[in-house]
Coordinates of all heavy atoms in Angstrom, one line a residue:
D1 N -6.0 7.6 3.4 CA -7.2 6.9 3.8 C -7.8 6.1 2.6 O -8.3 5.0 2.7 CB -8.2 7.8 4.4 CG -7.8 8.4 5.7 OD1 -6.9 7.8 6.4 OD2 -8.4 9.4 6.2
Y2 N -7.7 6.8 1.4 CA -8.3 6.1 0.2 C -7.5 4.8 -0.1 O -8.2 3.8 -0.3 CB -8.1 7.1 -1.0 CG -8.6 6.5 -2.3 CD1 -9.9 6.6 -2.7 CD2 -7.7 5.9 -3.1 CE1 -10.3 6.1 -3.9 CE2 -8.1 5.3 -4.3 CZ -9.4 5.4 -4.7 OH -9.8 4.9 -5.9
R3 N -6.2 4.9 -0.1 CA -5.4 3.7 -0.4 C -5.6 2.6 0.6 O -5.8 1.4 0.3 CB -4.0 4.0 -0.5 CG -3.6 5.0 -1.6 CD -2.1 5.3 -1.8 NE -1.9 6.4 -2.7 CZ -1.6 7.6 -2.3 NH1 -1.5 7.9 -1.0 NH2 -1.4 8.6 -3.2
R4 N -5.6 3.0 1.9 CA -5.8 2.0 2.9 C -7.1 1.3 2.9 O -7.3 0.1 3.1 CB -5.5 2.6 4.3 CG -5.4 1.7 5.5 CD -5.1 2.4 6.7 NE -3.8 3.1 6.6 CZ -3.3 4.0 7.5 NH1 -4.1 4.3 8.6 NH2 -2.1 4.5 7.4
D5 N -8.2 2.1 2.5 CA -9.5 1.5 2.5 C -9.7 0.5 1.4 O -10.2 -0.6 1.6 CB -10.5 2.7 2.3 CG -11.9 2.2 2.3 OD1 -12.4 1.7 3.3 OD2 -12.6 2.4 1.3
W6 N -9.2 0.8 0.2 CA -9.5 -0.1 -0.9 C -8.6 -1.3 -0.9 O -8.9 -2.3 -1.5 CB -9.6 0.6 -2.3 CG -8.3 1.0 -2.9 CD1 -7.7 2.2 -3.0 CD2 -7.4 0.1 -3.7 NE1 -6.6 2.2 -3.7 CE2 -6.3 0.9 -4.1 CE3 -7.4 -1.2 -4.0 CZ2 -5.3 0.4 -4.9 CZ3 -6.3 -1.7 -4.7 CH2 -5.3 -0.9 -5.2
S7 N -7.4 -1.2 -0.3 CA -6.5 -2.3 -0.4 C -6.5 -3.1 0.9 O -5.9 -4.2 0.9 CB -5.1 -1.7 -0.6 OG -4.6 -1.0 0.6
N8 N -7.1 -2.6 2.0 CA -7.0 -3.3 3.3 C -5.5 -3.5 3.7 O -5.2 -4.5 4.2 CB -7.7 -4.6 3.3 CG -9.2 -4.4 3.1 OD1 -9.9 -3.6 3.7 ND2 -9.8 -5.1 2.1
S9 N -4.7 -2.5 3.3 CA -3.3 -2.7 3.6 C -2.7 -1.3 3.9 O -3.1 -0.3 3.3 CB -2.6 -3.2 2.3 OG -1.2 -3.1 2.5
E10 N -1.7 -1.3 4.8 CA -1.0 -0.1 5.1 C 0.3 0.0 4.2 O 1.0 1.0 4.3 CB -0.6 0.0 6.6 CG -1.8 0.1 7.4 CD -1.5 0.3 8.9 OE1 -0.3 0.5 9.2 OE2 -2.4 0.3 9.7
E11 N 0.6 -1.0 3.4 CA 1.8 -1.0 2.6 C 1.5 -0.3 1.3 O 0.7 -0.7 0.5 CB 2.2 -2.4 2.3 CG 2.6 -3.2 3.6 CD 3.1 -4.6 3.3 OE1 3.1 -5.0 2.1 OE2 3.4 -5.3 4.2
G12 N 2.1 0.9 1.1 CA 1.8 1.7 -0.1 C 0.8 2.7 0.2 O 0.3 3.4 -0.8
D13 N 0.2 2.8 1.4 CA -0.8 3.8 1.6 C -0.3 5.2 1.5 O -1.1 6.2 1.3 CB -1.5 3.6 2.9 CG -0.6 3.8 4.2 OD1 0.5 4.1 4.0 OD2 -1.1 3.6 5.3
R14 N 1.0 5.4 1.4 CA 1.5 6.8 1.2 C 2.2 6.9 -0.2 O 3.1 7.7 -0.4 CB 2.6 7.1 2.3 CG 2.0 7.1 3.7 CD 2.9 7.6 4.7 NE 2.3 7.7 6.0 CZ 1.6 8.7 6.4 NH1 1.4 9.7 5.7 NH2 1.0 8.7 7.6
Y15 N 1.6 6.2 -1.1 CA 2.0 6.2 -2.5 C 3.3 5.4 -2.7 O 3.4 4.5 -3.5 CB 2.1 7.6 -3.1 CG 2.4 7.5 -4.6 CD1 1.3 7.2 -5.5 CD2 3.6 7.7 -5.2 CE1 1.5 7.2 -6.9 CE2 3.8 7.7 -6.5 CZ 2.8 7.4 -7.4 OH 3.0 7.3 -8.7
V16 N 4.4 5.8 -1.9 CA 5.6 5.1 -2.0 C 5.4 3.7 -1.2 O 5.0 3.7 -0.1 CB 6.8 5.9 -1.4 CG1 8.0 5.0 -1.3 CG2 7.0 7.1 -2.2
N17 N 5.8 2.6 -1.9 CA 5.6 1.3 -1.3 C 6.9 0.9 -0.6 O 7.1 1.0 0.6 CB 5.1 0.3 -2.3 CG 4.7 -1.0 -1.7 OD1 5.5 -1.6 -0.9 ND2 3.6 -1.5 -2.1
G18 N 7.9 0.4 -1.5 CA 9.2 0.1 -1.0 C 9.3 -1.3 -0.4 O 10.4 -1.8 0.0
H19 N 8.2 -2.1 -0.4 CA 8.2 -3.4 0.1 C 8.5 -4.4 -1.0 O 8.4 -4.1 -2.2 CB 6.9 -3.8 0.8 CG 6.6 -3.0 2.1 ND1 6.1 -1.8 2.0 CD2 6.8 -3.3 3.4 CE1 5.9 -1.3 3.2 NE2 6.4 -2.2 4.1
S20 N 8.9 -5.6 -0.7 CA 9.1 -6.7 -1.6 C 8.1 -7.8 -1.5 O 7.6 -8.1 -0.4 CB 10.5 -7.3 -1.4 OG 11.5 -6.4 -1.7
Y21 N 7.7 -8.2 -2.7 CA 6.7 -9.3 -2.8 C 7.2 -10.3 -3.8 O 7.7 -10.0 -4.9 CB 5.3 -8.8 -3.3 CG 4.9 -7.6 -2.5 CD1 5.2 -6.3 -2.9 CD2 4.2 -7.7 -1.3 CE1 4.8 -5.2 -2.1 CE2 3.8 -6.6 -0.5 CZ 4.1 -5.4 -0.9 OH 3.7 -4.3 -0.2
E22 N 7.1 -11.6 -3.5 CA 7.6 -12.6 -4.3 C 9.1 -12.4 -4.7 O 9.6 -12.7 -5.7 CB 6.8 -12.8 -5.6 CG 5.3 -12.9 -5.4 CD 4.9 -14.2 -4.7 OE1 5.6 -15.2 -4.7 OE2 3.8 -14.2 -4.1
G23 N 9.8 -11.7 -3.7 CA 11.2 -11.4 -3.9 C 11.5 -10.2 -4.8 O 12.6 -10.0 -5.2
I24 N 10.5 -9.4 -5.1 CA 10.6 -8.3 -6.0 C 10.1 -7.0 -5.3 O 9.0 -7.0 -4.8 CB 9.9 -8.5 -7.3 CG1 10.4 -9.7 -8.0 CG2 9.9 -7.3 -8.3 CD1 9.5 -10.2 -9.2

């Protein structure tokens, strides 16, 4: 809940992210 609230994102809200951004 803390991560999702401050980031307005569900990506990485469980500490592990695993997504790619700008190809990284």
Side-chain angles (χ1 to χ4, degrees):
D1 289 347
Y2 176 89
R3 298 184 189 101
R4 189 175 298 171
D5 180 62
W6 77 256
S7 68
N8 295 311
S9 169
E10 295 184 8
E11 297 181 1
D13 62 2
R14 296 187 178 276
Y15 189 77
V16 175
N17 188 315
H19 295 83
S20 293
Y21 309 92
E22 309 295 336
I24 299 171

